[in-house]
Amino acid sequence: MGRLLGLQRAVLGWVMHKPVMRGGILGGVLASVIGSAIISWLVFPSTVLSPDQKLSAALEMLDAGDFASARQLAAELRTDPEVTDAKLAGPMFVLGSVMAHDAAAYADPRQREILFRVAARYFEEARNRGLPADREGEGLYLFGYSLLEARRFAYATEVLREALTVDPQPRATEVHRLLALAYLGQDPSLPGKATREIAAYLQDSTLSPRERDAGLLWIARVQLQAADLLACRAAVEQIAAETPLRNERLLIEGELLIAEGDQLRGTLKTLAVDSPAGMKYNAALQCLKEVQSRDGADLALMSQSLLFQATIHERLGEFEEAERLWVRIRRQYFGSAEALASTVRLGELLVRVGRPFEGLPLLRRGIAEATAMPVYENPWLSRAEFETHLQEAYQTVLAAQQFETAIAFAEAWTPFLPPDQCIEARSLAHKAWAAHFEEQVVGKGAVDREAILASARAQYRLLGEVNEELAELRQTTSHFENDLWASAEGYFKGQAYRAATRQCRAFLAAQSSKRRPDALATLGECLLAQGEYAEAVQVFQLCLEEYPRHPASYRSRLKSAQALQELGRMEDARQLLIDNLYNHALTPRSPEWRDSLFALGETLYRAGLEQEATARLAGVGDRNEERNAAGFAAMEQGYSLFQEAIQNLSEAVRRFPNAPQTISARYRIAESLRHSARFARQRLGMVTIETTRVALHRQLQHDLTAAEEAYATLLQQIDDDQQGQYRSPVELAIIRNSYFGRADALFDLARYEDAVNAYSAATNRYQTEPEALEAYVQIAACYRRLNRYVEARGTVEQARIVLNRIRSDANFKRTTRFTRDEWGQVIDWLATL
């Protein structure tokens, strides 16, 4: 539409003074007479003009072009108490005409539109009160014209059509022109009514050849804008070859040839010069270059010709020539619409060809120039096209994984594009950046993997912040809940659990059933991560009650079981995991089924430890038979739990050997075997039947041997081949405990030489840590079992040296049985043995 208005104004011009220039010399004489009367009235107050005389004078002043005097008289009439409402139409007509004249003089489109809106209101009031009979056609014409300039296209169409019926002459030609503009303003993509009005305009036999060719050019432009290339070609061919508007004809023919080339090209990425599309582009270049070579071409046509030439070179893949022309336009026609279009298109091209650090500043400059306009208008780069270039540049940078640059570019959009669109672009970049980090984890070592995942979490936290900002901006729109959820997810994946909790609660408070089960499950996990176990169980239970068959329910049972473990409710946790595994629709292919199997084994193991602790408290091994029986019953229950744990964890490891829980599961299996051996040893001391004792001894040997092998296998997997690589605190504890667990199993098997080697491996690994003292003490015990007392005492002295070398701030109680001082006393006592 902007391009059409620009062409029409350039070719036909807006002639506001013509409709009101009625009398020529007579008008000037009358104006002089009326002016003299007014002067006489001003100098001699006794000379009083009636309201009708004032109105006649104002109208004559208007016709004569004396707008200031006409306005003054009309304003006086408007406030004159003798003027009835019915007679206010005349003054309103005069005020509207003067205001329209003033508005037409403004170059600023925004100010121009505002003033024409004021003029339209005057004309509307004049029409409603009844325009003077001899001014009705003129008034409707000016009213329609003002509405058109005020961009009230539908209303303008209505008024202008009425003008044709009221006063078809002498303004019919001009009204048809305005009607064409009004129809195009309503919908530029439907040119049918507009072209009919232009055709009616061309029916005027008084039009000059130049005016007629201008009308044909306009038809061509309208049809080109509507992509009706055949109709455009027909209009162009009707224009005389040597028309005074030849440069304009060459320009639009060049545009038409570009459009025809685009049509032939279709979706082809590359293009041969001698292809049908290439030949069209080259023909267009010849037309456009002729504009450059002709004398008398104005600057606007010259700059437009260069702009379309650059477009052709870009289509042909001749990017260097396109760049050269766009740079020339920017320098030679600085401040023009063509220069702005060149800046944006060059910027997007440079980004596309891999030069973002040159292209993005140009796009930012284009944004700054567009933002400085009161109203953005550019016939060669519509706002939609501008936004498309920005989006394409952004997508190019994002696809190249230049995430930081993409975010900075999206932030630069803010003055020009809506804030929510800019924030959405930042959100997309943070999300893509986080996903990129997660993809990099594959095949990386543990150290690199943890660093990469930390970077991914940082991006997810930023994603949460950006979407929270977006939610605040759009809280009254339909996007609000989606923004809240995106923010909660970002914070959750970034392990910002407090922020994720806040956003989940806000989302749930929105009373949306969409994603509610997922929000409940996520909220429960956030509370679980923060140690709010009781509340987490309540939230998970709510999800299970409201959505027992939703996919989020499986996640809720799994995580609720974890929270229940922390609360010591092992049986409740066990039941939830069994429900997930066997009482619902989950299959072994599901991640939740896999995780539930591992979690069930972990729960049984922890329950076994609890029963073992209960047995000690109850008095297992006590001489009091009643206490011993109670303790043994608890120990026997613990043994059963350890056996179940071994069974479930072994199945989990067999099914999912590469699962992240496998290391922990293998350790729990080894630990469960070692703890099971304690039950056999305890029972050995309680039975006297030899066959039972033989069976229990065999079971003890089996469990300890299996435990030692399990520890050894685990250490080989996670220690021998992974020396020096990053491990989580949990994995480090597993490695340490496995060294000591294997050595303890060998000790219990009475394989003292092997136990010495195993404990020595632990001392070598942890020689400056407090846990090394435990190993030295056990080595000394092995030597005493082997009757090698000198070596036992030497080992104790070595332990004393190690104790003195351990750093002063070491936390002995975290990994050993004693404090530093207590270890000193233990070593002193052992030295006496």
Side-chain angles (χ1 to χ4, degrees), residues 618-633 686:
V620 66
D622 197 292
R623 292 182 180 179
N624 183 297
E625 290 186 7
E626 186 176 342
R627 283 175 53 79
N628 182 54
F632 184 77
M686 298 172 61

Side-chain angles (χ1 to χ4, degrees), residues 626-648:
E626 186 176 342
R627 283 175 53 79
N628 182 54
F632 184 77
M635 195 168 196
E636 186 174 20
Q637 190 173 351
Y639 171 78
S640 297
L641 290 168
F642 284 130
Q643 292 300 303
E644 285 190 66
I646 292 169
Q647 179 182 351
N648 282 277

Side-chain angles (χ1 to χ4, degrees), residues 223-453:
Q223 299 295 355
L224 183 60
Q225 190 89 351
D228 188 344
L229 304 189
L230 292 176
C232 178
R233 171 65 64 188
V236 169
E237 290 177 352
Q238 291 182 56
I239 303 172
E242 295 304 321
T243 175
L245 299 175
R246 179 168 174 75
N247 287 333
E248 287 83 350
R249 182 186 186 281
L250 288 169
L251 186 69
I252 198 167
E253 187 167 2
E255 287 188 73
L256 174 59
L257 287 164
I258 293 173
E260 290 172 341
D262 291 344
Q263 195 174 68
L264 291 169
R265 179 181 184 176
T267 59
L268 292 176
K269 297 294 183 182
T270 57
L271 187 68
V273 177
D274 59 351
S275 66
M279 294 173 66
K280 288 286 186 181
Y281 290 143
N282 280 308
L285 275 177
Q286 297 307 313
C287 287
L288 296 166
K289 287 180 178 179
E290 186 176 344
V291 175
Q292 297 291 123
S293 64
R294 289 175 63 84
D295 295 333
D298 61 26
L299 293 179
L301 293 178
M302 297 282 279
S303 61
Q304 292 164 24
S305 170
L306 290 173
L307 184 65
F308 288 118
Q309 288 180 56
T311 300
I312 294 169
H313 288 297
E314 183 188 23
R315 297 282 203 280
L316 292 171
E318 299 167 352
F319 297 140
E320 289 186 5
E321 183 62 17
E323 178 182 353
R324 185 188 70 80
L325 289 173
W326 276 323
V327 169
R328 177 182 170 185
I329 295 167
R330 292 184 62 241
R331 292 175 178 172
Q332 193 168 337
Y333 302 99
F334 179 79
S336 67
E338 293 79 17
L340 175 57
S342 297
T343 298
V344 174
R345 294 183 63 183
L346 175 58
E348 192 272 324
L349 172 65
L350 292 174
V351 171
R352 187 166 12 111
V353 298
R355 295 160 61 186
F357 295 106
E358 296 175 68
L360 293 178
L362 287 174
L363 291 170
R364 291 193 186 98
R365 191 173 305 167
I367 291 171
E369 291 179 19
T371 307
M373 299 178 182
V375 177
Y376 179 80
E377 281 190 346
N378 190 307
W380 315 112
L381 184 72
S382 69
R383 190 180 189 92
E385 291 170 330
F386 197 148
E387 292 182 14
T388 297
H389 284 299
L390 294 178
Q391 289 285 357
E392 288 177 351
Y394 167 80
Q395 292 295 339
T396 299
V397 174
L398 196 62
Q401 298 181 342
Q402 297 172 344
F403 303 109
E404 190 171 3
T405 302
I407 291 167
F409 183 42
E411 289 172 344
W413 293 357
T414 306
F416 184 64
L417 298 182
D420 61 328
Q421 192 170 338
C422 305
I423 298 173
E424 278 186 310
R426 288 163 50 204
S427 171
L428 180 62
H430 283 299
K431 187 174 183 179
W433 203 350
H436 172 69
F437 279 127
E438 290 178 329
E439 291 169 1
Q440 287 185 311
V441 168
V442 179
K444 293 293 192 298
V447 175
D448 293 337
R449 182 167 62 250
E450 180 56 29
I452 293 169
L453 288 176

